[in-house]
């Protein structure tokens, strides 16, 4: 009996985990604009300590043991014929190709600033992006971080700790940062921001220049809709959460009014046979939380149930965001639960227990050792 073919469109954090789970039972083809996993997690660590970030969040596909049976295509998705069960890809050599599928998993994520982009990149392109952003911030005397979400507060804390002589200010529209997190998490993170020397500016909603997509670190003054004095800094980091779903290659009738993929509670695309969506691109709930709640396991079970006629399970989003906010710090890693309480991994355990055993062996099911990409960490 022929094995069913599953195409996974997008091999970011969620796509890789989904491919790992499905490869045991199906022929899996993964399509990615990058030559390996380039995670969208932990922006603050990525900017301030790119070598540390790359060690755990930038991994070649050939290093994942569980992806040995997955055929990866380095290319850009250009279209989909959902009735014919095919997707079109322009590969790294510029050749247009068609990939047929029995089931399609859409996990192309979102574009959000310069750190999450849906453009075709080589390993050298990724390295240059890491190095350029790091050097740009390290050479500044002052940094303004715009935004109140996890990416913004993580960036502010990590920049302040990495370069103590830099004046770091955080501007956000609400009374507190992290409006989608539990109040206990907000309070704890505000304390960490103050301890790092970050100056907080609540009630400052930035006016985004027309046509600006937040894809660069800028130096122009930042104006605010409330009439406050403009902010001036050598480097302005925009982390305002203005995400754009990477869905231009899909038919409009499977998208909602914002361009995200419509899904049922079972993560199926309604009205289209054999198509699923997961991660930031999937309109599961207002927070699109399947990207951060290990929905890859549920999705893999539902894909298998689709082929066998079994019962599918429903995804139930949490009421608030949870997980790491600031990334690894000198005193360890804090992971916040949905109720706002934190569990701390002590610093010694990160590279001895958490990464090698829990992440690489447990979650990724084995990652081979390999050379790390050189990243300037001045």
């Amino acid at each position: 009996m022929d094995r069913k073919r599953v195409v996974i469109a997008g091999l970011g954090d969620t796509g890789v985990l989904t491919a790992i789970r499905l490869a045991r039972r199906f022929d899996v083809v993964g399509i990615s604009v990058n030559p390996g996993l380039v995670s969208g997690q932990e922006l603050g660590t990525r900017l301030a300590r790119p070598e540390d970030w790359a060690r755990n969040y930038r991994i070649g596909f050939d290093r994942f043991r569980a992806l040995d049976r997955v055929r990866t295509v380095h290319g850009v998705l250009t279209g989909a014929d959902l009735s014919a069960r095919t997707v079109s890809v322009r590969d790294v050599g510029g050749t247009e190709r068609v990939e047929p599928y029995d089931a399609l998993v859409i996990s192309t994520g979102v574009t959000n600033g310069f750190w999450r982009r849906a453009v075709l990149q080589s390993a050298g392109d990724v390295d240059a992006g890491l190095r350029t952003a790091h050097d740009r911030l390290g050479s500044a005397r002052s940094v303004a971080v715009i935004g109140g979400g996890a990416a913004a507060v993580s960036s502010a804390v990590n920049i302040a700790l990495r370069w103590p002589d830099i004046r770091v200010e955080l501007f956000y529209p609400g009374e507190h940062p992290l409006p989608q997190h539990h109040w206990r998490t907000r309070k704890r993170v505000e304390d960490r921001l103050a301890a790092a020397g970050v100056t907080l500016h609540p009630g400052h909603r930035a006016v985004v220049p027309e046509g600006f997509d937040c894809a660069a670190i800028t130096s122009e003054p930042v104006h605010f809709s409330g009439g406050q004095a403009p902010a001036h800094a050598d480097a302005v980091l925009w982390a305002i959460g203005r995400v754009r779903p990477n869905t231009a290659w899909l038919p409009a009738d499977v998208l909602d009014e914002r361009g995200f993929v419509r899904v049922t509670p079972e993560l199926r695309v309604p009205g289209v046979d054999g198509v699923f969506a997961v991660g930031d691109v999937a309109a599961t709930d207002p927070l699109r939380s399947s990207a951060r709640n290990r929905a890859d396991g549920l999705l893999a079970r539902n894909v298998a149930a689709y082929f066998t006629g079994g019962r599918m399970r429903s995804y139930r989003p949490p009421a608030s965001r949870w997980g790491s906010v600031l990334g690894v710090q000198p005193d360890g890693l804090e992971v916040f639960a949905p109720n706002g309480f934190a569990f701390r991994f002590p610093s010694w355990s990160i590279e001895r227990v958490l990464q090698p055993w829990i992440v690489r062996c447990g979650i990724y099911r084995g990652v081979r050792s390999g050379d790390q990409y050189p990243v300037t960490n001045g």
Side-chain angles (χ1 to χ4, degrees):
M1 180 177 178
D2 292 338
R3 282 162 59 98
K4 299 295 187 180
R5 172 180 289 191
V6 181
V7 168
I8 300 180
L11 288 178
D13 295 297
T14 305
V16 164
L17 292 171
T18 302
I20 286 172
R21 289 182 176 272
L22 289 172
R24 292 179 296 174
R25 299 183 61 180
F26 308 107
D27 289 333
V28 176
V29 179
I31 301 168
S32 173
V33 294
N34 292 307
L37 173 63
V38 180
S39 175
Q41 300 182 59
E42 307 293 3
L43 176 61
T45 306
R46 172 175 174 153
L47 295 171
R49 304 190 310 276
E51 285 187 332
D52 293 342
W53 179 88
R55 184 164 53 250
N56 298 318
Y57 295 100
R58 183 184 177 193
I59 306 171
F61 294 137
D62 61 338
R63 293 179 54 199
F64 291 96
R65 296 184 186 276
L67 294 185
D68 285 351
R69 290 170 290 185
V70 174
R71 177 166 63 86
T72 59
V73 178
H74 186 192
V76 176
L77 288 149
T78 58
D81 186 336
L82 303 183
S83 59
R85 295 180 180 253
T86 63
V87 297
S88 301
V89 186
R90 185 174 64 253
D91 66 23
V92 69
T95 301
E96 294 284 345
R97 57 198 296 176
V98 172
E99 293 288 346
Y101 64 81
D102 296 301
L104 172 66
V105 176
I106 302 168
S107 57
T108 43
V110 296
T111 292
N112 183 16
F114 57 84
W115 61 94
R116 300 174 76 183
R117 305 169 62 205
V119 297
L120 196 62
Q121 296 189 103
S122 67
D125 294 331
V126 176
D127 182 63
L130 292 172
R131 185 169 54 246
T132 299
H134 174 79
D135 292 347
R136 176 77 171 83
L137 294 169
S139 63
R141 292 170 298 176
S142 58
V143 173
V145 181
I146 312 299
V153 299
S154 171
S155 298
V157 165
N158 281 281
I159 292 168
L161 293 176
R162 176 62 183 83
W163 295 289
D165 294 334
I166 294 178
R167 185 182 82 247
V168 180
E169 299 179 272
L170 178 65
F171 299 86
Y172 47 95
E175 183 179 354
H176 301 281
L178 302 179
Q180 297 169 337
H181 287 71
H182 194 278
W183 68 264
R184 293 190 185 95
T185 304
R186 291 199 296 268
K187 179 62 170 63
R188 175 59 176 164
V189 170
E190 284 181 316
D191 291 343
R192 296 300 294 259
L193 285 161
V198 177
T199 302
L200 304 183
H201 296 278
H204 284 63
R205 183 177 296 277
V207 177
V208 182
E210 186 176 353
F212 180 58
D213 64 359
C214 309
I217 297 174
T218 62
S219 57
E220 290 76 18
V222 179
H223 298 271
F224 302 97
S225 60
Q228 299 96 334
H232 298 266
D234 293 335
V236 178
L237 175 64
W238 295 80
I240 59 176
R242 180 170 286 191
V243 300
R244 300 194 312 275
N246 299 321
T247 54
W249 59 283
L250 284 167
D253 58 1
V254 302
L255 309 178
D256 67 10
E257 66 279 0
R258 297 180 58 203
F260 294 93
V261 181
R262 294 183 291 110
V263 290
T264 68
E266 296 77 25
L267 303 180
R268 300 184 70 175
V269 177
V272 186
D273 192 37
V275 181
F276 299 78
V278 69
D280 276 316
V281 77
T284 52
D285 59 283
L287 301 181
R288 301 185 310 282
S289 60
S290 69
R292 287 160 290 277
N293 288 279
R294 295 307 311 274
D296 54 283
L298 181 145
L299 176 63
R301 286 191 292 268
N302 285 354
V303 170
Y306 165 73
F307 287 128
T308 62
R311 177 177 175 272
M312 296 189 184
R313 300 184 184 181
S314 297
Y315 173 71
R316 294 179 175 83
S320 59
R321 288 196 170 180
W322 66 281
S324 167
V325 175
L326 303 180
V328 177
Q329 300 298 310
D331 58 352
L333 173 69
E334 283 186 324
V335 178
F336 295 92
N339 64 7
F341 289 107
F343 173 81
R344 178 184 299 281
F345 289 89
S347 56
W348 63 265
S349 70
I350 306 301
E351 294 300 331
R352 297 183 190 177
V353 179
L354 177 62
Q355 285 296 336
W357 296 107
I358 298 177
V359 177
R360 297 191 186 108
C361 288
I363 295 176
Y364 288 139
R365 299 180 181 173
V367 178
R368 300 180 180 90
S369 60
D371 294 334
Q372 300 300 323
Y373 296 106
V375 179
T376 299
N377 194 15

